[in-house]
Structures are given as C-alpha cells and as structure tokens.
Amino acid sequence: MSGHDLSLHLVTDHRMPFAEVADVVDAAASAGAGVVQFRDKTASGRDLFDRVLALADVISGRATFVVDDRVDVALAARAMGARVDGVHLGQSDLPVVAARRLLGPEALIGWTAHTPAHVAAAAELPAGTVDYLGVGVIRATATKPDHPQPLGIGGFAGLAASTPLPCIAIGGVEVDDVAALRRAGAAGVAVVSAVSGADDPAAATRALREAWA
C-alpha cells in the first residue's frame, strides 16, 4: 500500500451529471486530492465501465483511483488498460478476501466500518486484506440517506483507537472538522459535498488540504 496519500479522498456525487463529475475530479486531482473514489449506485454496469475509463483518463495518475463496490468493473477497466488502483467495499459487497485475491497484493482496498463489530471483523481478516477502513458517518449527510447513526468526532476517535488499520473519516465532513479529526486519530478524511457542492472545487480541495496540514 506504500505510496498512497490517504489524507484526502474525494468521493464522487452520483446526483451530478457525469460531465460535471469529471470536471470536479479534474479540479480535485489538480488541487491535491490524494484519492478519488468513484461512487455511483444507480448507473448500469456498462455506464460504470465507460465512466471509470473516462475518469482514469481524467485523473491520469495524479491521484489514487478506486471504484466503489464494483470489483468487476474495476477489473474490466484494468483489462482495457485503465489505471484503477483499487476498490472501496461496503459490508454487503463482495467479500474483501475475494477482492484481494482478484485484484492482487498491490491494489488499494478500503472497507466500510461503522460499528465496533465491523472493526472487530476487520481484525479477523488475514493480514494485508484491507489497507484502510472508511469510518462514519461523522454527522448526518444528504449524500447517503440510509446512513447509520452519526458517530461524531468522539465516536470516530473511539473506533480509530481500537484498530491498527488507518481510519478515514467520512460522512458530512466539512473543512472545519478536519483538524479535529486528525487529532482524533484519522489517517485522512473523505468528502463528497464539501468539494462537489463547492462553487470552486479546486479551492475547496486546497482548503481541505491546508486544514489537514
């Protein structure tokens, strides 16, 4: 997993037209987002494939590129020569052990962990199965209406302290939360609206990076 900057993840917003998603990704990659996670729960497999190819081209190696949920789409895009660095998987997606076998030892694999039970399950996995945990939600967020009970920064700190895996804070994270989350043990933050909903996504990305630093 060496070489990946986990401090700032942009998670794309499926509510935007894809052309706008691509523009936001381009701006965020140019402004220092370390990881771009493409998340679209509504598109068909073919549309996801086409969009992953397009975003890999937009990113052009400037950020680590991971696909949410869809190991098959990530593999298909890789087979066509696209640079896809890994996947982020939820608790109901393909098992992370299977994903690791399919994607190989160099892929970046994240796993969603909202509860102590999820963190405990991660501890039972073979070493090297997952590279980081996405821990949240920090506060209520409109981008994931079915989200679990918000943790707050204190709840996040408790989960992060209970695992040696890097924990990425996600869910309603704003620029004013970043320093406190880093102090609470975050290895990074993941944002949707804080960048995608900004008038100037590049400036918003830079502000998040500066808050982290």
Side-chain angles (χ1 to χ4, degrees):
M1 194 203 78
S2 59
H4 297 291
D5 173 7
L6 297 179
S7 58
L8 177 57
H9 300 231
L10 169 68
V11 182
T12 61
D13 189 343
H14 67 89
R15 300 171 301 176
M16 300 170 68
F18 181 69
E20 290 180 29
V21 170
D23 287 344
V24 168
V25 166
D26 187 31
S30 68
V35 178
V36 172
Q37 180 191 139
F38 177 51
R39 184 167 81 187
D40 190 331
K41 305 284 192 187
T42 59
S44 68
R46 178 56 194 260
D47 283 347
L48 287 172
F49 171 76
D50 289 341
R51 292 170 186 182
V52 168
L53 291 184
L55 289 182
D57 198 41
V58 166
I59 295 165
S60 190
R62 293 177 294 165
T64 297
F65 183 33
V66 300
V67 175
D68 183 68
D69 292 354
R70 296 294 294 269
V71 177
D72 57 334
V73 174
L75 286 167
R78 278 185 166 191
M80 298 307 292
R83 177 176 161 176
V84 178
D85 297 290
V87 293
H88 184 91
L89 299 174
Q91 292 288 324
S92 60
D93 295 323
L94 196 69
V96 285
V97 172
R100 176 59 74 194
R101 289 188 182 176
L102 287 165
L103 289 163
E106 298 303 311
L108 183 71
I109 297 181
W111 201 29
T112 296
H114 296 315
T115 67
H118 293 163
V119 173
E124 298 297 316
L125 294 167
T129 302
V130 296
D131 296 303
Y132 71 89
L133 298 176
V135 178
V137 299
I138 305 307
R139 61 170 59 89
T141 168
T143 59
K144 244 191 161 182
D146 59 344
H147 61 70
Q149 185 68 23
L151 292 169
I153 290 171
F156 172 87
L159 285 181
S162 70
T163 174
L165 287 165
C167 289
I168 309 302
I170 187 167
V173 174
E174 300 288 348
V175 66
D176 292 342
D177 303 317
V178 172
L181 284 164
R182 187 170 188 181
R183 287 194 298 272
V189 295
V191 299
V192 183
S193 303
V195 169
S196 292
D199 293 333
D200 185 339
T205 302
R206 285 192 292 271
L208 287 157
R209 282 217 69 87
E210 288 162 13
W212 180 262

